[in-house]
Amino acid sequence: MTLVIGLTGGIASGKSTVANMCKEQGITVIDADMESRDVVEPGEKAYDQIIEHFGKGILLADGTINRAKLGEIIFNNKEERMVLNGIVHPAVRERMNAKKEAAAARNEAILIMDIPLLFESKLTNLVDRSLLVYVDETTQLKRLMERNQYSEQEAISRIQSQMPLKEKRILSDRVIDNSGTPEQTRVQLYRILKEWGFEEKKED
Ligand code: ADP
């Protein structure tokens, strides 16, 4: 049995950092954002369905979907957003499930699904456990400004457009506090993974 862990966080909370630590341990990490980009590539069923509904006007010159334009259409239109989600979400779920089956066939003890909107998109039914990468607000703001070269105002408005990490804490099975050093984060991660049945790779 492969235990599926839903890894989530908020912008610049350190989710990618933790996902990389898992990969270094040889753990399979499925990236939901990457999968959702892949399912709308030409040749995919979702690609055809999107054109059928939204028209060829949402294509770029090279035939790929203009994600920015599609984003604009659905941003202020709940019905269109639901149509798009109804096309993309099942396709993503199918792909993630296939990868999960493959990991299970390889007898991997655990599998990470990196899902930024695990709670917002109500995807917790895809996973056995949820793991939140948390940071305090001051650290989140500072790291986001540094990483993206945002002004304080730009960073604040991006943080505020998301579900607060304090709320996600309540919804998560376990929380890693990434406000400290990467080493402190690694210690917390390994402890939780061990609890969930994963044996850490030893240096030799
Ligand atoms: P997310 O994937 O959640 O958006 P990242 O993993 O990219 O966040 O981390 C945000 C930024 O903070 C990156 O620039 C990263 O290098 C830095 N960072 C992450 N964790 C730590 C840490 N524990 N100490 C210092 N910097 C960190």
Side-chain angles (χ1 to χ4, degrees):
M1 271 289 279
T2 300
L3 190 75
V4 181
I5 297 164
L7 179 68
T8 196
I11 189 166
S13 71
K15 188 174 58 57
S16 312
T17 303
V18 170
N20 285 332
M21 289 177 180
C22 293
K23 286 181 202 161
E24 283 165 18
Q25 285 291 310
I27 298 170
T28 302
V29 178
I30 304 175
D31 181 329
D33 276 352
M34 216 169 76
E35 300 300 331
S36 69
R37 283 193 291 272
D38 287 352
V39 297
V40 301
E41 287 292 316
E44 294 289 332
K45 189 170 81 185
Y47 171 89
D48 296 334
Q49 291 171 324
I50 288 169
I51 296 171
E52 202 174 299
H53 179 83
F54 294 94
K56 288 211 159 106
I58 50 108
L59 294 180
L60 291 167
D62 66 0
T64 59
I65 287 171
N66 185 339
R67 296 167 59 85
K69 191 159 183 190
L70 199 52
E72 260 168 49
I73 295 172
I74 63 160
F75 186 67
N76 283 313
N77 188 326
K78 191 168 176 225
E79 270 159 37
E80 295 288 49
R81 187 159 63 239
M82 282 170 66
V83 171
L84 184 67
N85 286 345
I87 295 171
V88 174
H89 286 175
V92 172
R93 208 168 292 143
E94 208 176 288
R95 271 180 174 249
M96 293 181 75
N97 265 328
K99 292 203 168 170
K100 171 179 150 182
E101 296 302 324
R106 293 191 297 266
N107 288 318
E108 295 175 14
I110 64 173
L111 164 72
I112 306 277
M113 288 193 181
D114 176 340
I115 310 181
L117 300 180
L118 180 68
F119 299 117
E120 294 90 332
S121 302
K122 302 190 171 56
L123 293 170
T124 43
N125 61 329
L126 280 180
V127 304
D128 301 312
R129 301 275 189 285
S130 53
L131 176 58
L132 172 72
V133 183
Y134 172 88
V135 273
D136 63 64
E137 283 169 5
T138 315
T139 310
Q140 184 180 24
L141 183 63
K142 181 171 161 281
R143 289 189 187 152
L144 179 57
M145 287 171 66
E146 275 169 16
R147 186 190 66 185
N148 292 34
Q149 302 296 308
Y150 285 153
S151 68
E152 186 167 341
Q153 209 39 58
E154 283 171 322
I156 288 173
S157 75
R158 273 159 181 97
I159 291 169
Q160 286 183 345
S161 72
Q162 299 191 323
M163 184 191 288
L165 285 171
K166 283 206 174 81
E167 261 173 59
K168 292 192 179 185
R169 278 192 86 113
I170 302 167
L171 300 170
S172 301
D173 290 319
R174 297 302 300 268
V175 177
I176 292 176
D177 188 341
N178 184 40
S179 310
T181 65
E183 227 20 72
Q184 289 170 323
T185 291
R186 194 186 295 277
V187 169
Q188 296 172 69
L189 172 68
Y190 286 4
R191 193 178 295 146
I192 294 167
L193 292 179
K194 190 167 182 192
E195 235 174 76
W196 285 343
F198 182 78
E199 287 302 323
E200 179 184 329
K201 238 181 6 197
K202 295 272 181 272
E203 308 271 333
D204 40 27

